[in-house]
Amino acid sequence: MMMLVWINVVVSDRTGVLSASAGVRNGDVMACVLQVTRLKCGGFIVASRLNHTMSDAAGLVQFMKAVGEMARGADSPSVLPVWERELLDARDPPRITCIHREYDQVEETKGTLMALDDMDHRSFFFGAAQMAALRGRVPPHQRASSTFEILTACLWRCRTIALQPDPEEEVRVLCIVNARTKFDPPLPAGYYGNALAFPVAVTRADRLCQNPLGYALELVKKAKADVTEEYMRSLADLMVIRGRPHFTVVRSFLVSDTTKAGFGDVDFGWGKAVYCGPAKGGVGAIPGVASFYIPFRNRQGENGIVVPVCLPAPAMQRFMQELDALLKELAPTAVTTDKKSTFVRSSL
């Protein structure tokens, strides 16, 4: 087995920024790349890129916390890594016992794939006031729903209206769920491999767009509730039977909640991070499809969630109009656009 480790340091006098990168190559697979950029102000940026077969977000946080602990003088990580990938092996014989519509083979028949030549990247902040406004948009019996569920329903509906799909086409939202606690017994604390699922809510575009927000919310709640230990066992078996298919991206929206992942608890010896999350939404192998929920404190000191969104420019304008309509009880400055930037300030 070949493993190559390298360090590369570049200093730029013009920018006053020192950038160091390190990586590990295992055979022909790039496992992990880390880059550290020191800023003139004294702060620094730690960027990471890894092959997702190595770990999920929880596993990456575990790794970064371990690096931080040893950087602060620890001899070993407080949580030792656990490989044990056999815990999620397929059964013998494999058998699909649950419905997994996130892996439907959906054909693109009506030209609704996004044009990638005019994409607009903006970020939206949701604090206590914004979430209160959204909760006020759903029936009383749904107002105890989680922030994730309400926010996902809101963004899915606004995004679908903005993209203007054929009314009879199916649209879907995929919610990444950490399944570590779904097993009996739960997976070991140090397990850093992928232990997640992509449960999906599916409906027709016209039903999603024409019904109130509570309709989308009920679909999201049901999708999340689908993830059980049997669901995960069935999913592992599906990967074997169907040859590890990719989840469908046609008319799909994928959301990943990192607010409780623990990235903000990583400390390399200089304190907690100001921001922990991707720089933009919808980038990478599936442009325009994914958004992340990232914990954030805005300039007013208010804690909330920032959501990077990537859409074609005309759709982004419609998306903002729909979101403004849902938040119209708020002050006019609650969602504002800085014309000098590609980001919606939204109290950032």
Side-chain angles (χ1 to χ4, degrees), residues 113-178:
L113 285 177
M114 293 186 188
L116 304 181
D117 55 350
D118 186 24
M119 300 298 279
D120 195 353
H121 298 266
R122 298 178 185 259
S123 293
F124 299 84
F125 179 81
F126 296 87
Q130 287 81 6
M131 291 309 305
L134 294 180
R135 287 185 190 279
R137 291 289 189 176
V138 301
H141 71 276
Q142 290 183 321
R143 290 176 187 169
S145 302
S146 70
T147 295
F148 171 85
E149 292 163 347
I150 292 177
L151 186 55
T152 299
C154 164
L155 296 178
W156 182 31
R157 185 174 180 274
C158 290
R159 182 179 180 276
T160 303
I161 293 172
L163 288 171
Q164 300 179 332
D166 185 292
E168 296 184 355
E169 292 280 273
E170 284 188 338
V171 293
R172 59 195 67 210
V173 62
L174 294 87
C175 309
I176 295 182
V177 172
N178 183 346

Short mmCIF file of all heavy atoms in Angstrom, two decimals, residues 113-178:
data_model
loop_
_atom_site.label_atom_id
_atom_site.label_comp_id
_atom_site.label_asym_id
_atom_site.label_seq_id
_atom_site.Cartn_x
_atom_site.Cartn_y
_atom_site.Cartn_z
N LEU A 113 -32.56 20.91 -15.30
CA LEU A 113 -31.25 20.99 -14.68
C LEU A 113 -30.75 22.43 -14.75
O LEU A 113 -31.00 23.15 -15.71
CB LEU A 113 -30.25 20.06 -15.39
CG LEU A 113 -30.41 18.57 -15.10
CD1 LEU A 113 -29.42 17.77 -15.92
CD2 LEU A 113 -30.23 18.27 -13.63
N MET A 114 -30.03 22.85 -13.72
CA MET A 114 -29.61 24.24 -13.63
C MET A 114 -28.55 24.58 -14.67
O MET A 114 -27.62 23.80 -14.91
CB MET A 114 -29.04 24.53 -12.24
CG MET A 114 -30.06 24.47 -11.13
SD MET A 114 -29.32 24.99 -9.57
CE MET A 114 -30.64 24.57 -8.46
N ALA A 115 -28.67 25.76 -15.26
CA ALA A 115 -27.60 26.30 -16.09
C ALA A 115 -26.54 26.88 -15.17
O ALA A 115 -26.83 27.69 -14.30
CB ALA A 115 -28.15 27.37 -17.03
N LEU A 116 -25.29 26.45 -15.34
CA LEU A 116 -24.25 26.79 -14.38
C LEU A 116 -23.42 28.00 -14.79
O LEU A 116 -22.40 28.30 -14.16
CB LEU A 116 -23.32 25.57 -14.19
CG LEU A 116 -24.02 24.28 -13.76
CD1 LEU A 116 -23.00 23.17 -13.60
CD2 LEU A 116 -24.81 24.49 -12.47
N ASP A 117 -23.84 28.71 -15.84
CA ASP A 117 -23.04 29.83 -16.32
C ASP A 117 -23.41 31.16 -15.68
O ASP A 117 -22.78 32.18 -15.93
CB ASP A 117 -23.14 29.94 -17.85
CG ASP A 117 -24.58 30.05 -18.33
OD1 ASP A 117 -25.49 29.84 -17.50
OD2 ASP A 117 -24.79 30.33 -19.52
N ASP A 118 -24.45 31.19 -14.87
CA ASP A 118 -24.89 32.45 -14.25
C ASP A 118 -25.41 32.16 -12.85
O ASP A 118 -26.54 32.47 -12.52
CB ASP A 118 -25.96 33.11 -15.12
CG ASP A 118 -26.35 34.49 -14.60
OD1 ASP A 118 -25.52 35.11 -13.90
OD2 ASP A 118 -27.48 34.95 -14.87
N MET A 119 -24.56 31.58 -12.02
CA MET A 119 -24.97 31.21 -10.68
C MET A 119 -24.71 32.35 -9.70
O MET A 119 -23.69 33.06 -9.78
CB MET A 119 -24.21 29.96 -10.21
CG MET A 119 -24.45 28.74 -11.09
SD MET A 119 -26.17 28.20 -11.13
CE MET A 119 -26.26 27.25 -9.62
N ASP A 120 -25.64 32.53 -8.79
CA ASP A 120 -25.58 33.60 -7.78
C ASP A 120 -25.40 32.95 -6.41
O ASP A 120 -26.16 32.05 -6.04
CB ASP A 120 -26.86 34.42 -7.83
CG ASP A 120 -26.74 35.74 -7.10
OD1 ASP A 120 -25.70 35.96 -6.45
OD2 ASP A 120 -27.68 36.55 -7.17
N HIS A 121 -24.40 33.39 -5.66
CA HIS A 121 -24.13 32.87 -4.33
C HIS A 121 -24.49 33.93 -3.29
O HIS A 121 -23.96 35.03 -3.33
CB HIS A 121 -22.64 32.51 -4.17
CG HIS A 121 -22.17 31.44 -5.10
ND1 HIS A 121 -22.14 30.12 -4.75
CD2 HIS A 121 -21.73 31.51 -6.38
CE1 HIS A 121 -21.68 29.41 -5.77
NE2 HIS A 121 -21.42 30.23 -6.77
N ARG A 122 -25.37 33.59 -2.38
CA ARG A 122 -25.75 34.50 -1.31
C ARG A 122 -25.90 33.72 0.00
O ARG A 122 -26.10 32.51 -0.02
CB ARG A 122 -27.04 35.25 -1.65
CG ARG A 122 -26.93 36.14 -2.88
CD ARG A 122 -28.25 36.80 -3.19
NE ARG A 122 -28.16 37.56 -4.44
CZ ARG A 122 -28.00 38.87 -4.52
NH1 ARG A 122 -27.91 39.58 -3.40
NH2 ARG A 122 -27.92 39.48 -5.68
N SER A 123 -25.82 34.44 1.10
CA SER A 123 -25.98 33.81 2.40
C SER A 123 -27.12 34.48 3.16
O SER A 123 -27.28 35.69 3.10
CB SER A 123 -24.68 33.92 3.22
OG SER A 123 -23.66 33.15 2.63
N PHE A 124 -27.88 33.67 3.89
CA PHE A 124 -29.06 34.15 4.61
C PHE A 124 -28.91 33.81 6.08
O PHE A 124 -28.58 32.69 6.44
CB PHE A 124 -30.32 33.51 4.03
CG PHE A 124 -30.56 33.84 2.58
CD1 PHE A 124 -29.93 33.11 1.58
CD2 PHE A 124 -31.38 34.89 2.22
CE1 PHE A 124 -30.14 33.42 0.24
CE2 PHE A 124 -31.59 35.21 0.89
CZ PHE A 124 -30.97 34.47 -0.10
N PHE A 125 -29.20 34.79 6.93
CA PHE A 125 -29.08 34.62 8.38
C PHE A 125 -30.47 34.45 8.99
O PHE A 125 -31.39 35.22 8.70
CB PHE A 125 -28.39 35.82 9.01
CG PHE A 125 -28.27 35.72 10.50
CD1 PHE A 125 -27.26 34.97 11.08
CD2 PHE A 125 -29.16 36.37 11.34
CE1 PHE A 125 -27.14 34.87 12.46
CE2 PHE A 125 -29.06 36.28 12.72
CZ PHE A 125 -28.04 35.53 13.27
N PHE A 126 -30.60 33.44 9.85
CA PHE A 126 -31.85 33.17 10.55
C PHE A 126 -31.58 33.18 12.04
O PHE A 126 -31.00 32.25 12.58
CB PHE A 126 -32.44 31.83 10.11
CG PHE A 126 -32.83 31.78 8.66
CD1 PHE A 126 -31.90 31.43 7.70
CD2 PHE A 126 -34.12 32.12 8.26
CE1 PHE A 126 -32.25 31.40 6.36
CE2 PHE A 126 -34.47 32.10 6.92
CZ PHE A 126 -33.54 31.74 5.97
N GLY A 127 -31.99 34.27 12.68
CA GLY A 127 -31.87 34.38 14.13
C GLY A 127 -33.22 34.10 14.79
O GLY A 127 -34.15 33.56 14.18
N ALA A 128 -33.33 34.50 16.04
CA ALA A 128 -34.54 34.22 16.80
C ALA A 128 -35.76 34.88 16.16
O ALA A 128 -36.85 34.28 16.09
CB ALA A 128 -34.37 34.69 18.24
N ALA A 129 -35.61 36.11 15.68
CA ALA A 129 -36.75 36.82 15.10
C ALA A 129 -37.22 36.17 13.81
O ALA A 129 -38.43 36.00 13.57
CB ALA A 129 -36.38 38.29 14.83
N GLN A 130 -36.26 35.78 12.97
CA GLN A 130 -36.63 35.13 11.70
C GLN A 130 -37.32 33.79 11.94
O GLN A 130 -38.32 33.47 11.30
CB GLN A 130 -35.38 34.92 10.83
CG GLN A 130 -34.84 36.18 10.19
CD GLN A 130 -33.97 36.99 11.14
OE1 GLN A 130 -33.67 36.57 12.25
NE2 GLN A 130 -33.56 38.18 10.69
N MET A 131 -36.79 33.02 12.90
CA MET A 131 -37.40 31.72 13.18
C MET A 131 -38.78 31.88 13.81
O MET A 131 -39.70 31.09 13.55
CB MET A 131 -36.49 30.88 14.07
CG MET A 131 -35.21 30.40 13.40
SD MET A 131 -35.49 29.59 11.79
CE MET A 131 -36.66 28.31 12.24
N ALA A 132 -38.95 32.91 14.63
CA ALA A 132 -40.27 33.16 15.22
C ALA A 132 -41.28 33.49 14.13
O ALA A 132 -42.44 33.06 14.18
CB ALA A 132 -40.19 34.29 16.23
N ALA A 133 -40.85 34.26 13.13
CA ALA A 133 -41.75 34.59 12.03
C ALA A 133 -42.15 33.35 11.25
O ALA A 133 -43.32 33.18 10.86
CB ALA A 133 -41.09 35.61 11.11
N LEU A 134 -41.19 32.45 11.01
CA LEU A 134 -41.51 31.22 10.28
C LEU A 134 -42.42 30.31 11.09
O LEU A 134 -43.34 29.68 10.53
CB LEU A 134 -40.22 30.49 9.90
CG LEU A 134 -39.30 31.20 8.90
CD1 LEU A 134 -38.06 30.36 8.62
CD2 LEU A 134 -40.04 31.52 7.61
N ARG A 135 -42.19 30.21 12.39
CA ARG A 135 -43.08 29.39 13.23
C ARG A 135 -44.50 29.94 13.20
O ARG A 135 -45.47 29.18 13.27
CB ARG A 135 -42.57 29.35 14.66
CG ARG A 135 -41.35 28.51 14.86
CD ARG A 135 -40.94 28.39 16.32
NE ARG A 135 -39.64 27.76 16.42
CZ ARG A 135 -39.43 26.44 16.36
NH1 ARG A 135 -40.47 25.64 16.23
NH2 ARG A 135 -38.22 25.95 16.44
N GLY A 136 -44.61 31.24 13.09
CA GLY A 136 -45.94 31.83 13.01
C GLY A 136 -46.67 31.52 11.73
O GLY A 136 -47.88 31.76 11.63
N ARG A 137 -45.96 30.97 10.75
CA ARG A 137 -46.55 30.64 9.46
C ARG A 137 -47.13 29.23 9.41
O ARG A 137 -47.74 28.84 8.40
CB ARG A 137 -45.50 30.76 8.35
CG ARG A 137 -45.06 32.19 8.07
CD ARG A 137 -46.15 32.95 7.39
NE ARG A 137 -45.71 34.26 6.91
CZ ARG A 137 -46.49 35.08 6.21
NH1 ARG A 137 -47.72 34.73 5.92
NH2 ARG A 137 -46.03 36.25 5.82
N VAL A 138 -46.92 28.43 10.46
CA VAL A 138 -47.42 27.05 10.46
C VAL A 138 -48.52 26.93 11.51
O VAL A 138 -48.62 27.74 12.44
CB VAL A 138 -46.29 26.04 10.73
CG1 VAL A 138 -45.20 26.17 9.69
CG2 VAL A 138 -45.71 26.23 12.13
N PRO A 139 -49.40 25.93 11.39
CA PRO A 139 -50.49 25.75 12.36
C PRO A 139 -49.96 25.54 13.77
O PRO A 139 -48.83 25.07 13.95
CB PRO A 139 -51.21 24.50 11.84
CG PRO A 139 -50.84 24.40 10.39
CD PRO A 139 -49.45 24.95 10.29
N PRO A 140 -50.74 25.87 14.77
CA PRO A 140 -50.28 25.74 16.17
C PRO A 140 -49.74 24.36 16.52
O PRO A 140 -48.77 24.25 17.26
CB PRO A 140 -51.54 26.08 16.97
CG PRO A 140 -52.32 27.00 16.08
CD PRO A 140 -52.08 26.50 14.69
N HIS A 141 -50.35 23.30 15.99
CA HIS A 141 -49.91 21.97 16.37
C HIS A 141 -48.54 21.62 15.78
O HIS A 141 -47.92 20.62 16.17
CB HIS A 141 -50.94 20.92 15.94
CG HIS A 141 -51.00 20.69 14.46
ND1 HIS A 141 -51.75 21.49 13.61
CD2 HIS A 141 -50.41 19.75 13.66
CE1 HIS A 141 -51.62 21.06 12.37
NE2 HIS A 141 -50.82 20.01 12.37
N GLN A 142 -48.03 22.43 14.84
CA GLN A 142 -46.72 22.17 14.25
C GLN A 142 -45.62 23.08 14.80
O GLN A 142 -44.46 22.93 14.44
CB GLN A 142 -46.78 22.35 12.72
CG GLN A 142 -47.59 21.30 11.99
CD GLN A 142 -47.54 21.53 10.49
OE1 GLN A 142 -47.59 22.66 10.00
NE2 GLN A 142 -47.44 20.45 9.73
N ARG A 143 -45.98 24.00 15.68
CA ARG A 143 -45.00 25.01 16.09
C ARG A 143 -43.94 24.49 17.04
O ARG A 143 -42.94 25.17 17.28
CB ARG A 143 -45.74 26.21 16.70
CG ARG A 143 -46.50 26.99 15.65
CD ARG A 143 -47.31 28.13 16.20
NE ARG A 143 -48.14 28.70 15.12
CZ ARG A 143 -49.11 29.57 15.32
NH1 ARG A 143 -49.41 29.98 16.55
NH2 ARG A 143 -49.80 30.04 14.29
N ALA A 144 -44.13 23.29 17.55
CA ALA A 144 -43.10 22.67 18.38
C ALA A 144 -42.06 21.94 17.53
O ALA A 144 -41.13 21.33 18.08
CB ALA A 144 -43.73 21.71 19.38
N SER A 145 -42.20 21.99 16.22
CA SER A 145 -41.23 21.35 15.33
C SER A 145 -39.85 21.96 15.53
O SER A 145 -39.72 23.11 15.98
CB SER A 145 -41.67 21.51 13.87
OG SER A 145 -42.95 20.96 13.65
N SER A 146 -38.83 21.21 15.18
CA SER A 146 -37.46 21.69 15.39
C SER A 146 -37.12 22.82 14.42
O SER A 146 -37.77 23.00 13.38
CB SER A 146 -36.47 20.54 15.20
OG SER A 146 -36.40 20.17 13.83
N THR A 147 -36.12 23.58 14.78
CA THR A 147 -35.63 24.65 13.90
C THR A 147 -35.24 24.08 12.55
O THR A 147 -35.55 24.66 11.50
CB THR A 147 -34.44 25.37 14.55
OG1 THR A 147 -34.89 26.03 15.73
CG2 THR A 147 -33.82 26.38 13.60
N PHE A 148 -34.55 22.94 12.55
CA PHE A 148 -34.14 22.31 11.30
C PHE A 148 -35.35 22.01 10.42
O PHE A 148 -35.34 22.29 9.21
CB PHE A 148 -33.37 21.02 11.58
CG PHE A 148 -33.10 20.20 10.34
CD1 PHE A 148 -31.99 20.47 9.56
CD2 PHE A 148 -33.96 19.17 9.96
CE1 PHE A 148 -31.75 19.73 8.40
CE2 PHE A 148 -33.72 18.43 8.83
CZ PHE A 148 -32.61 18.71 8.04
N GLU A 149 -36.39 21.43 10.99
CA GLU A 149 -37.55 21.04 10.21
C GLU A 149 -38.26 22.24 9.59
O GLU A 149 -38.61 22.24 8.41
CB GLU A 149 -38.51 20.24 11.09
CG GLU A 149 -37.95 18.88 11.51
CD GLU A 149 -38.69 18.27 12.69
OE1 GLU A 149 -39.47 18.98 13.36
OE2 GLU A 149 -38.46 17.07 12.97
N ILE A 150 -38.45 23.29 10.38
CA ILE A 150 -39.15 24.47 9.88
C ILE A 150 -38.30 25.19 8.84
O ILE A 150 -38.81 25.60 7.79
CB ILE A 150 -39.51 25.41 11.04
CG1 ILE A 150 -40.57 24.75 11.92
CG2 ILE A 150 -40.00 26.75 10.53
CD1 ILE A 150 -40.94 25.55 13.15
N LEU A 151 -37.02 25.33 9.10
CA LEU A 151 -36.15 26.02 8.16
C LEU A 151 -36.04 25.26 6.85
O LEU A 151 -36.06 25.85 5.76
CB LEU A 151 -34.77 26.21 8.80
CG LEU A 151 -33.75 27.03 8.01
CD1 LEU A 151 -34.29 28.39 7.65
CD2 LEU A 151 -32.45 27.15 8.81
N THR A 152 -35.94 23.94 6.94
CA THR A 152 -35.85 23.12 5.72
C THR A 152 -37.12 23.23 4.89
O THR A 152 -37.07 23.37 3.66
CB THR A 152 -35.58 21.65 6.09
OG1 THR A 152 -34.33 21.56 6.78
CG2 THR A 152 -35.53 20.77 4.85
N ALA A 153 -38.27 23.18 5.54
CA ALA A 153 -39.53 23.31 4.82
C ALA A 153 -39.61 24.66 4.12
O ALA A 153 -40.03 24.76 2.96
CB ALA A 153 -40.70 23.15 5.80
N CYS A 154 -39.19 25.70 4.82
CA CYS A 154 -39.22 27.05 4.25
C CYS A 154 -38.31 27.16 3.02
O CYS A 154 -38.74 27.64 1.95
CB CYS A 154 -38.79 28.06 5.31
SG CYS A 154 -38.34 29.68 4.68
N LEU A 155 -37.06 26.74 3.15
CA LEU A 155 -36.11 26.88 2.06
C LEU A 155 -36.49 26.01 0.86
O LEU A 155 -36.35 26.43 -0.29
CB LEU A 155 -34.70 26.52 2.54
CG LEU A 155 -34.13 27.42 3.63
CD1 LEU A 155 -32.76 26.92 4.06
CD2 LEU A 155 -34.05 28.86 3.16
N TRP A 156 -36.98 24.80 1.13
CA TRP A 156 -37.39 23.91 0.04
C TRP A 156 -38.52 24.53 -0.76
O TRP A 156 -38.50 24.55 -1.99
CB TRP A 156 -37.81 22.57 0.63
CG TRP A 156 -38.22 21.53 -0.36
CD1 TRP A 156 -37.76 21.37 -1.64
CD2 TRP A 156 -39.17 20.48 -0.14
NE1 TRP A 156 -38.37 20.28 -2.23
CE2 TRP A 156 -39.24 19.72 -1.34
CE3 TRP A 156 -39.97 20.10 0.94
CZ2 TRP A 156 -40.08 18.61 -1.47
CZ3 TRP A 156 -40.79 19.00 0.82
CH2 TRP A 156 -40.85 18.26 -0.38
N ARG A 157 -39.52 25.04 -0.07
CA ARG A 157 -40.66 25.65 -0.75
C ARG A 157 -40.25 26.90 -1.52
O ARG A 157 -40.61 27.07 -2.69
CB ARG A 157 -41.75 25.98 0.27
CG ARG A 157 -43.05 26.50 -0.34
CD ARG A 157 -44.11 26.67 0.74
NE ARG A 157 -45.36 27.17 0.19
CZ ARG A 157 -45.64 28.46 0.01
NH1 ARG A 157 -44.73 29.37 0.34
NH2 ARG A 157 -46.80 28.83 -0.51
N CYS A 158 -39.49 27.79 -0.89
CA CYS A 158 -39.05 29.02 -1.57
C CYS A 158 -38.18 28.71 -2.78
O CYS A 158 -38.30 29.34 -3.83
CB CYS A 158 -38.28 29.91 -0.59
SG CYS A 158 -39.28 30.67 0.70
N ARG A 159 -37.30 27.74 -2.61
CA ARG A 159 -36.39 27.37 -3.71
C ARG A 159 -37.16 26.78 -4.88
O ARG A 159 -36.85 27.07 -6.05
CB ARG A 159 -35.36 26.37 -3.17
CG ARG A 159 -34.31 25.93 -4.17
CD ARG A 159 -33.35 24.96 -3.50
NE ARG A 159 -32.32 24.49 -4.39
CZ ARG A 159 -32.44 23.50 -5.24
NH1 ARG A 159 -33.59 22.82 -5.30
NH2 ARG A 159 -31.44 23.13 -6.03
N THR A 160 -38.14 25.93 -4.60
CA THR A 160 -38.93 25.31 -5.66
C THR A 160 -39.72 26.37 -6.43
O THR A 160 -39.77 26.36 -7.67
CB THR A 160 -39.87 24.25 -5.08
OG1 THR A 160 -39.09 23.27 -4.36
CG2 THR A 160 -40.63 23.54 -6.18
N ILE A 161 -40.35 27.29 -5.71
CA ILE A 161 -41.08 28.37 -6.37
C ILE A 161 -40.13 29.18 -7.25
O ILE A 161 -40.46 29.55 -8.38
CB ILE A 161 -41.75 29.27 -5.32
CG1 ILE A 161 -42.86 28.51 -4.59
CG2 ILE A 161 -42.32 30.54 -5.97
CD1 ILE A 161 -43.46 29.26 -3.41
N ALA A 162 -38.92 29.43 -6.75
CA ALA A 162 -37.95 30.23 -7.48
C ALA A 162 -37.48 29.56 -8.76
O ALA A 162 -37.25 30.22 -9.78
CB ALA A 162 -36.76 30.54 -6.59
N LEU A 163 -37.34 28.23 -8.73
CA LEU A 163 -36.84 27.51 -9.90
C LEU A 163 -37.91 27.24 -10.95
O LEU A 163 -37.60 26.87 -12.08
CB LEU A 163 -36.21 26.18 -9.45
CG LEU A 163 -34.88 26.31 -8.72
CD1 LEU A 163 -34.46 24.97 -8.14
CD2 LEU A 163 -33.80 26.85 -9.66
N GLN A 164 -39.18 27.39 -10.60
CA GLN A 164 -40.30 27.27 -11.53
C GLN A 164 -40.29 25.95 -12.33
O GLN A 164 -40.32 25.95 -13.55
CB GLN A 164 -40.31 28.45 -12.50
CG GLN A 164 -40.45 29.79 -11.81
CD GLN A 164 -40.43 30.97 -12.77
OE1 GLN A 164 -39.83 30.90 -13.85
NE2 GLN A 164 -41.08 32.05 -12.40
N PRO A 165 -40.27 24.80 -11.64
CA PRO A 165 -40.32 23.53 -12.37
C PRO A 165 -41.71 23.31 -12.95
O PRO A 165 -42.67 24.01 -12.60
CB PRO A 165 -40.02 22.50 -11.28
CG PRO A 165 -40.49 23.15 -10.02
CD PRO A 165 -40.23 24.61 -10.18
N ASP A 166 -41.82 22.34 -13.83
CA ASP A 166 -43.13 21.95 -14.35
C ASP A 166 -44.02 21.56 -13.17
O ASP A 166 -43.61 20.79 -12.30
CB ASP A 166 -42.96 20.77 -15.31
CG ASP A 166 -44.27 20.39 -15.99
OD1 ASP A 166 -45.18 19.91 -15.29
OD2 ASP A 166 -44.38 20.58 -17.20
N PRO A 167 -45.25 22.07 -13.10
CA PRO A 167 -46.11 21.81 -11.94
C PRO A 167 -46.33 20.34 -11.64
O PRO A 167 -46.52 19.97 -10.47
CB PRO A 167 -47.43 22.50 -12.32
CG PRO A 167 -47.04 23.55 -13.30
CD PRO A 167 -45.89 22.98 -14.07
N GLU A 168 -46.29 19.48 -12.66
CA GLU A 168 -46.57 18.07 -12.45
C GLU A 168 -45.32 17.25 -12.15
O GLU A 168 -45.43 16.05 -11.86
CB GLU A 168 -47.28 17.49 -13.68
CG GLU A 168 -48.65 18.11 -13.93
CD GLU A 168 -49.37 17.47 -15.09
OE1 GLU A 168 -48.78 16.60 -15.76
OE2 GLU A 168 -50.54 17.83 -15.33
N GLU A 169 -44.15 17.87 -12.19
CA GLU A 169 -42.92 17.15 -11.91
C GLU A 169 -42.75 16.93 -10.42
O GLU A 169 -43.19 17.75 -9.59
CB GLU A 169 -41.72 17.94 -12.44
CG GLU A 169 -41.65 18.03 -13.95
CD GLU A 169 -41.07 16.78 -14.56
OE1 GLU A 169 -39.85 16.67 -14.69
OE2 GLU A 169 -41.89 15.91 -14.91
N GLU A 170 -42.10 15.84 -10.05
CA GLU A 170 -41.79 15.58 -8.65
C GLU A 170 -40.56 16.38 -8.24
O GLU A 170 -39.58 16.47 -8.98
CB GLU A 170 -41.54 14.09 -8.42
CG GLU A 170 -42.79 13.25 -8.38
CD GLU A 170 -42.53 11.83 -7.96
OE1 GLU A 170 -41.39 11.36 -8.10
OE2 GLU A 170 -43.48 11.17 -7.50
N VAL A 171 -40.63 16.95 -7.05
CA VAL A 171 -39.48 17.62 -6.45
C VAL A 171 -39.22 16.95 -5.11
O VAL A 171 -40.10 16.34 -4.52
CB VAL A 171 -39.74 19.13 -6.27
CG1 VAL A 171 -39.84 19.83 -7.61
CG2 VAL A 171 -41.00 19.39 -5.45
N ARG A 172 -37.99 17.09 -4.65
CA ARG A 172 -37.64 16.38 -3.41
C ARG A 172 -36.62 17.16 -2.61
O ARG A 172 -35.84 17.96 -3.16
CB ARG A 172 -37.13 14.98 -3.72
CG ARG A 172 -35.90 14.89 -4.60
CD ARG A 172 -35.71 13.48 -5.14
NE ARG A 172 -36.79 13.14 -6.06
CZ ARG A 172 -37.26 11.91 -6.27
NH1 ARG A 172 -36.75 10.89 -5.62
NH2 ARG A 172 -38.23 11.69 -7.11
N VAL A 173 -36.64 16.94 -1.30
CA VAL A 173 -35.62 17.47 -0.41
C VAL A 173 -35.02 16.31 0.36
O VAL A 173 -35.74 15.44 0.86
CB VAL A 173 -36.18 18.54 0.55
CG1 VAL A 173 -37.25 17.98 1.47
CG2 VAL A 173 -35.06 19.18 1.37
N LEU A 174 -33.69 16.27 0.41
CA LEU A 174 -32.97 15.22 1.12
C LEU A 174 -32.37 15.82 2.38
O LEU A 174 -31.68 16.86 2.32
CB LEU A 174 -31.86 14.63 0.25
CG LEU A 174 -32.29 13.85 -1.00
CD1 LEU A 174 -32.47 14.79 -2.19
CD2 LEU A 174 -31.25 12.79 -1.35
N CYS A 175 -32.63 15.20 3.51
CA CYS A 175 -32.14 15.69 4.81
C CYS A 175 -31.08 14.74 5.33
O CYS A 175 -31.38 13.58 5.63
CB CYS A 175 -33.28 15.77 5.82
SG CYS A 175 -34.75 16.65 5.22
N ILE A 176 -29.85 15.21 5.45
CA ILE A 176 -28.81 14.34 5.98
C ILE A 176 -29.03 14.12 7.47
O ILE A 176 -29.15 15.08 8.24
CB ILE A 176 -27.42 14.94 5.72
CG1 ILE A 176 -27.15 15.00 4.21
CG2 ILE A 176 -26.34 14.13 6.44
CD1 ILE A 176 -25.78 15.54 3.86
N VAL A 177 -29.10 12.86 7.87
CA VAL A 177 -29.37 12.48 9.26
C VAL A 177 -28.21 11.66 9.80
O VAL A 177 -27.81 10.66 9.18
CB VAL A 177 -30.68 11.68 9.37
CG1 VAL A 177 -30.86 11.13 10.78
CG2 VAL A 177 -31.87 12.55 8.99
N ASN A 178 -27.64 12.07 10.92
CA ASN A 178 -26.61 11.30 11.62
C ASN A 178 -27.30 10.14 12.33
O ASN A 178 -28.12 10.34 13.23
CB ASN A 178 -25.89 12.20 12.62
CG ASN A 178 -24.76 11.48 13.33
OD1 ASN A 178 -24.64 10.26 13.29
ND2 ASN A 178 -23.90 12.25 13.98
#
